[in-house]
Short mmCIF file of all heavy atoms in Angstrom, two decimals:
data_model
loop_
_atom_site.label_atom_id
_atom_site.label_comp_id
_atom_site.label_asym_id
_atom_site.label_seq_id
_atom_site.Cartn_x
_atom_site.Cartn_y
_atom_site.Cartn_z
N VAL D 112 66.24 22.66 -29.06
CA VAL D 112 66.22 22.55 -27.62
C VAL D 112 67.61 22.31 -27.09
O VAL D 112 68.35 21.47 -27.59
CB VAL D 112 65.28 21.39 -27.17
CG1 VAL D 112 65.39 21.16 -25.67
CG2 VAL D 112 63.84 21.71 -27.62
N GLY D 113 67.97 23.12 -26.08
CA GLY D 113 69.27 22.92 -25.46
C GLY D 113 69.13 22.59 -23.99
O GLY D 113 68.05 22.69 -23.45
N GLY D 114 70.24 22.16 -23.42
CA GLY D 114 70.30 22.04 -21.96
C GLY D 114 69.80 20.74 -21.37
O GLY D 114 69.66 20.66 -20.15
N GLY D 115 69.53 19.76 -22.15
CA GLY D 115 69.06 18.50 -21.60
C GLY D 115 67.81 18.72 -20.79
O GLY D 115 66.80 19.23 -21.26
N ALA D 116 67.85 18.34 -19.51
CA ALA D 116 66.66 18.47 -18.65
C ALA D 116 66.31 19.93 -18.40
O ALA D 116 65.16 20.26 -18.11
CB ALA D 116 66.93 17.76 -17.33
N ALA D 117 67.29 20.82 -18.58
CA ALA D 117 67.00 22.24 -18.33
C ALA D 117 66.21 22.88 -19.46
O ALA D 117 65.60 23.91 -19.27
CB ALA D 117 68.30 23.01 -18.13
N PHE D 118 66.23 22.28 -20.62
CA PHE D 118 65.29 22.49 -21.70
C PHE D 118 65.00 23.96 -22.05
O PHE D 118 63.95 24.49 -21.76
CB PHE D 118 63.96 21.82 -21.37
CG PHE D 118 63.31 21.21 -22.56
CD1 PHE D 118 63.43 19.86 -22.83
CD2 PHE D 118 62.50 21.98 -23.40
CE1 PHE D 118 62.81 19.28 -23.93
CE2 PHE D 118 61.89 21.42 -24.51
CZ PHE D 118 62.02 20.06 -24.75
N TRP D 119 66.00 24.59 -22.68
CA TRP D 119 65.71 25.92 -23.20
C TRP D 119 65.63 25.87 -24.71
O TRP D 119 66.07 24.95 -25.35
CB TRP D 119 66.78 26.92 -22.71
CG TRP D 119 68.19 26.58 -23.07
CD1 TRP D 119 68.82 26.69 -24.28
CD2 TRP D 119 69.17 26.03 -22.19
NE1 TRP D 119 70.10 26.28 -24.20
CE2 TRP D 119 70.35 25.86 -22.93
CE3 TRP D 119 69.16 25.67 -20.81
CZ2 TRP D 119 71.51 25.36 -22.34
CZ3 TRP D 119 70.33 25.21 -20.27
CH2 TRP D 119 71.49 25.03 -21.03
N PHE D 120 65.09 26.97 -25.28
CA PHE D 120 64.87 27.03 -26.74
C PHE D 120 65.89 28.02 -27.30
O PHE D 120 65.83 29.21 -27.05
CB PHE D 120 63.46 27.48 -27.04
CG PHE D 120 62.41 26.61 -26.44
CD1 PHE D 120 61.68 27.03 -25.33
CD2 PHE D 120 62.13 25.35 -26.95
CE1 PHE D 120 60.68 26.23 -24.78
CE2 PHE D 120 61.16 24.53 -26.37
CZ PHE D 120 60.44 25.00 -25.31
N ASP D 121 66.79 27.50 -28.18
CA ASP D 121 67.83 28.38 -28.75
C ASP D 121 68.56 27.66 -29.84
O ASP D 121 69.10 26.58 -29.60
CB ASP D 121 68.83 28.80 -27.66
CG ASP D 121 69.96 29.65 -28.25
OD1 ASP D 121 69.67 30.77 -28.72
OD2 ASP D 121 71.09 29.18 -28.26
N PRO D 122 68.55 28.24 -31.08
CA PRO D 122 67.88 29.45 -31.46
C PRO D 122 66.43 29.18 -31.91
O PRO D 122 65.97 28.04 -31.88
CB PRO D 122 68.69 29.90 -32.68
CG PRO D 122 69.11 28.63 -33.35
CD PRO D 122 69.33 27.65 -32.21
N TRP D 123 65.74 30.25 -32.26
CA TRP D 123 64.38 30.20 -32.80
C TRP D 123 64.46 30.63 -34.28
O TRP D 123 65.27 31.45 -34.66
CB TRP D 123 63.44 31.17 -32.08
CG TRP D 123 63.25 30.96 -30.64
CD1 TRP D 123 64.21 30.88 -29.66
CD2 TRP D 123 62.01 30.91 -29.97
NE1 TRP D 123 63.62 30.75 -28.44
CE2 TRP D 123 62.27 30.76 -28.59
CE3 TRP D 123 60.66 30.93 -30.39
CZ2 TRP D 123 61.25 30.66 -27.61
CZ3 TRP D 123 59.65 30.84 -29.41
CH2 TRP D 123 59.98 30.69 -28.05
N GLY D 124 63.56 30.10 -35.07
CA GLY D 124 63.42 30.61 -36.42
C GLY D 124 62.58 31.89 -36.39
O GLY D 124 62.00 32.23 -35.37
N GLN D 125 62.53 32.57 -37.52
CA GLN D 125 61.77 33.82 -37.60
C GLN D 125 60.27 33.60 -37.54
O GLN D 125 59.51 34.50 -37.21
CB GLN D 125 62.10 34.54 -38.93
CG GLN D 125 63.37 35.33 -38.90
CD GLN D 125 63.27 36.54 -38.00
OE1 GLN D 125 63.58 36.51 -36.81
NE2 GLN D 125 62.76 37.63 -38.56
N GLY D 126 59.83 32.40 -37.92
CA GLY D 126 58.43 32.08 -37.79
C GLY D 126 57.68 32.20 -39.12
O GLY D 126 58.11 32.87 -40.05
N THR D 127 56.56 31.53 -39.19
CA THR D 127 55.66 31.57 -40.35
C THR D 127 54.23 31.78 -39.84
O THR D 127 53.81 31.13 -38.87
CB THR D 127 55.79 30.32 -41.22
OG1 THR D 127 55.02 30.46 -42.41
CG2 THR D 127 55.35 29.06 -40.49
N LEU D 128 53.51 32.70 -40.46
CA LEU D 128 52.19 33.07 -39.95
C LEU D 128 51.12 32.13 -40.49
O LEU D 128 51.03 31.87 -41.72
CB LEU D 128 51.85 34.49 -40.36
CG LEU D 128 50.46 35.01 -40.02
CD1 LEU D 128 50.25 35.03 -38.52
CD2 LEU D 128 50.24 36.42 -40.62
N VAL D 129 50.33 31.60 -39.59
CA VAL D 129 49.18 30.76 -39.94
C VAL D 129 47.92 31.54 -39.52
O VAL D 129 47.75 31.93 -38.35
CB VAL D 129 49.22 29.41 -39.20
CG1 VAL D 129 47.93 28.64 -39.39
CG2 VAL D 129 50.44 28.60 -39.68
N THR D 130 47.05 31.76 -40.49
CA THR D 130 45.79 32.47 -40.24
C THR D 130 44.63 31.53 -40.54
O THR D 130 44.52 31.04 -41.65
CB THR D 130 45.68 33.72 -41.13
OG1 THR D 130 46.82 34.58 -40.87
CG2 THR D 130 44.39 34.50 -40.78
N VAL D 131 43.80 31.29 -39.51
CA VAL D 131 42.65 30.43 -39.67
C VAL D 131 41.43 31.34 -39.57
O VAL D 131 41.12 31.90 -38.51
CB VAL D 131 42.60 29.34 -38.59
CG1 VAL D 131 41.44 28.39 -38.86
CG2 VAL D 131 43.94 28.59 -38.56
N SER D 132 40.73 31.46 -40.69
CA SER D 132 39.62 32.35 -40.74
C SER D 132 38.67 31.95 -41.88
O SER D 132 39.10 31.42 -42.89
CB SER D 132 40.08 33.77 -40.95
OG SER D 132 39.01 34.67 -41.19
N SER D 133 37.40 32.22 -41.68
CA SER D 133 36.44 32.00 -42.74
C SER D 133 36.22 33.25 -43.58
O SER D 133 35.47 33.23 -44.54
CB SER D 133 35.11 31.49 -42.15
OG SER D 133 34.63 32.41 -41.19
#
Side-chain angles (χ1 to χ4, degrees):
Chain D
V112 172
F118 217 97
W119 57 78
F120 303 106
D121 177 65
W123 300 54
Q125 279 290 93
T127 186
L128 177 62
V129 172
T130 303
V131 185
S132 171
S133 54

